[in-house]
Amino acid sequence: MSHQNLLLPFIAATKTQMEFDYDGPSMKTSVPGPRSQELTKQLGDIQNVGAVNFFCNYEESRGNYLVDVDGNRMLDLYTQISSIPIGYNHPALLKLMTNPHNLSTFVNRPALGILPPENFPDKISESLLSVAPSGMSRVQTMACGSCSNENAFKSMFIWYRNKERGQTAPSDQDLSTCMVNQVCESCPDLSILSFMGSFHGRTMGCLATTHSKVIHKLDIPSFDWPIAPFPRLQYPLEEFTRENAQEESRCLEEVEDLIVKWRQKGKPVAGIVVEPIQAEGGDNHASPDFFRSLRNIARKHGSAFHVDEVQTGGGTTGKFWAHEHWGMDDPADIVSFSKKLLTGGYFQRDELQPDKPYRIFNTWMGDPSKNLFLAEVLNVIHRENLLEEVTRSGKALLKGLYELQGQYPNILSRARGQGTFCAVDICDDETRNSIMLKARDKGVILGGCGDRSIRFRPALVFKEYHVHIFLNIFSDVLAQLK
Amino acid sequence: MSHQNLLLPFIAATKTQMEFDYDGPSMKTSVPGPRSQELTKQLGDIQNVGAVNFFCNYEESRGNYLVDVDGNRMLDLYTQISSIPIGYNHPALLKLMTNPHNLSTFVNRPALGILPPENFPDKISESLLSVAPSGMSRVQTMACGSCSNENAFKSMFIWYRNKERGQTAPSDQDLSTCMVNQVCESCPDLSILSFMGSFHGRTMGCLATTHSKVIHKLDIPSFDWPIAPFPRLQYPLEEFTRENAQEESRCLEEVEDLIVKWRQKGKPVAGIVVEPIQAEGGDNHASPDFFRSLRNIARKHGSAFHVDEVQTGGGTTGKFWAHEHWGMDDPADIVSFSKKLLTGGYFQRDELQPDKPYRIFNTWMGDPSKNLFLAEVLNVIHRENLLEEVTRSGKALLKGLYELQGQYPNILSRARGQGTFCAVDICDDETRNSIMLKARDKGVILGGCGDRSIRFRPALVFKEYHVHIFLNIFSDVLAQLK
């Protein structure tokens, strides 16, 4: 086949995709339909398929609509666990694939840490650095969220120990004992303080700071690290300011107690890691005051402050980073990201960058082809004013949830959110699952979190009219439950 | 710009690339040249650049030749830390990018564990399952080598504890203590046995089994897990069979002792992890007998056996997997991979697959766009008989190293290898580095490993005539050192 022929259908396809948009859900079968069930059975011979919802036709999916292999078209408020930034098959991303100058970036994945491509400094400047958190001009890409957090933790450990050592080089004993996993007098163990309900990933370092669900943790060896309570606030936040402030004080006191206690135990807290909104753990919010105080506690005790924005980052709260809502010039020492940013990685303050090469290192150190997509996603966010859209859609979504909560007080409670990063609690786990399945059969994809919450994680292109399509269907589902 | 215009240069570019191949190194400057130095300075404001060798022009790189930003064209025997399977810009991979049916796979990265694309079971069958190790029909993809090993370890822990529990469900105490990182009577700690000199990655679970260089380990908390000596053999292996067999017996005895000791300590060995050839740690080989015995020891003590083929897998030893050289029907319980396979992941025996969904899980669970490339790489390996080529080139390479070692006994020693996965020791670290820099300035890229070894890691398209180009230059460098 000549290249010319090969490319003809491609040109046609691109044109069609750019002209096309769906006007609502369209359901042909209940979900999973027969074709999904058949494929699930097939995949079951290769992998555990207990978590598979259904199989997708990504070619036919567009914008906010995910199409499955049985021809069902669903409004997607979960977006691949919150990892699709600007919807499916965005024309800007398809166009990027047609640029011949980008081909080599996909075909030749470099070992970025030793042999970066010529355009790497420019690409990273126009993409990641253009959204660097306040006070941070350094960024390290990684392949995924867990790798990002693992390496962020390592940066904090290295920083902490360098700070302790001062100008002294590591002792010979340090060097020999670390090779056999042992601590010694001059190199005590270190720890990371995390919060109950948090989720920071599932590799073993991350998992030691993850405390959201038993199924993640059972049977896996872990570290004896301090775990503080995360505020359990009452919603709407503005109606319970006094109670919530008390709850936050209680948690902050506990944080300080734990830092002291672990130092006495000989396992000083090198860093504190926290999500701006606990996501997987049930969409638990805390006030800007809480985070400002936490940041101060970290500074006071000489611990690094790591804000994990893997799920909250990328614009979904109405600001590019959720921590921007805290209004701080110096919000963190490390901010990690992944999901909607398409590449994993973390920003860091200058002093957190390890002093020597190869201390933070792996073969790929990220993937430049993901940086290409991210640069284009950032262009689209800017060009289409998507942060404003998110704020507008989020207000409509939360307003709708409040109204439904008023209408169905026995089913819904604790509606909460920032931007479109919203959630609502359901009376019990069984009802939640039933609501989610019924909504799906009516063409709306939702995700759960915590014990009995539904989390809303639409893409940044989720407009006000999509909110109303969702609310209508959600309302129908609730009416039928009653 | 119309799409038609956009695509014209692309068509031209593809044609040129397919017709083009370089006939040898070509050097314009010493390396890093001025442009590389300038870019390194620029990137230094963003990241630690201490490990950066030089900047690359990946567009102009072809086959076995890496071109840098100063126009230097070098024969690449390190291939991005052994991660480029069939050379730079292979026409088959470029062609894959022009197929419009593949576009959506790049643009819409799914959460594979819950919403796989329609072609996923087929793609994974025609790619990964077509090279499944003996006895394994299950495979789990992951984003990188470290994630693969982390999750392989977790699978072994879960398998081990399920085996211990039998039909009994986890106790309430198990469930509550694991959430706060604690062990309890019914859920003792578990461990993974690894070997001195091994490298299994740098995330915190992997790092606890990595013991190759201090710079990886210093300051990072770890687990108290058993570490056995890896055989330190004499080369050529066939000349020291008796001595080497003794050394291997000594190490195997130590393995059994450690398993017993750690069980008594209350941290039973859930799994043993080993590389078929220790790579990062200095290209340390062991005999098929050693691995067969190790596999039996694991079975005898109820530990899982995990073979880490992240660096050895993908054809470079002359067989697709290095463990095939052991001649076993049941070589392992888990085989992990990454690098040349372009996607991370691991194969496992049926019983190692976790019983429940969401125990091994993350957002992306790999990347279908990498599976696309892998399927094509496997086609090329088959079509171009690359495993035979590797065997042929490897023999020529090792023969050349033996000859040079005879010629320069004060500089070179311990030449060793399987396929093109070869290495040679240099008299000292300083001389090694000097040799590597001199070779680079003459147009050959080499990598180091261990204390004073050079490792050869060319792509699978490294032919006999490339071996001779390399040997001529290497010989020149050695002659100038003498």
Short mmCIF file of all heavy atoms in Angstrom, two decimals, chain A residues 142 241 398:
data_model
loop_
_atom_site.label_atom_id
_atom_site.label_comp_id
_atom_site.label_asym_id
_atom_site.label_seq_id
_atom_site.Cartn_x
_atom_site.Cartn_y
_atom_site.Cartn_z
N MET A 142 8.08 12.11 35.54
CA MET A 142 8.10 10.69 35.88
C MET A 142 6.97 10.02 35.08
O MET A 142 6.14 10.70 34.50
CB MET A 142 7.84 10.49 37.38
CG MET A 142 9.01 10.89 38.27
SD MET A 142 10.32 9.62 38.22
CE MET A 142 11.73 10.57 38.81
N THR A 241 -18.56 27.02 60.14
CA THR A 241 -17.18 27.51 60.27
C THR A 241 -16.60 27.25 61.67
O THR A 241 -15.45 26.83 61.79
CB THR A 241 -17.08 29.01 59.96
OG1 THR A 241 -18.17 29.67 60.58
CG2 THR A 241 -17.14 29.26 58.45
N LEU A 398 -22.91 22.09 41.73
CA LEU A 398 -23.09 22.09 43.18
C LEU A 398 -24.48 22.59 43.56
O LEU A 398 -25.13 22.04 44.46
CB LEU A 398 -21.99 22.95 43.84
CG LEU A 398 -21.77 22.72 45.33
CD1 LEU A 398 -21.49 21.26 45.65
CD2 LEU A 398 -20.60 23.58 45.83
#
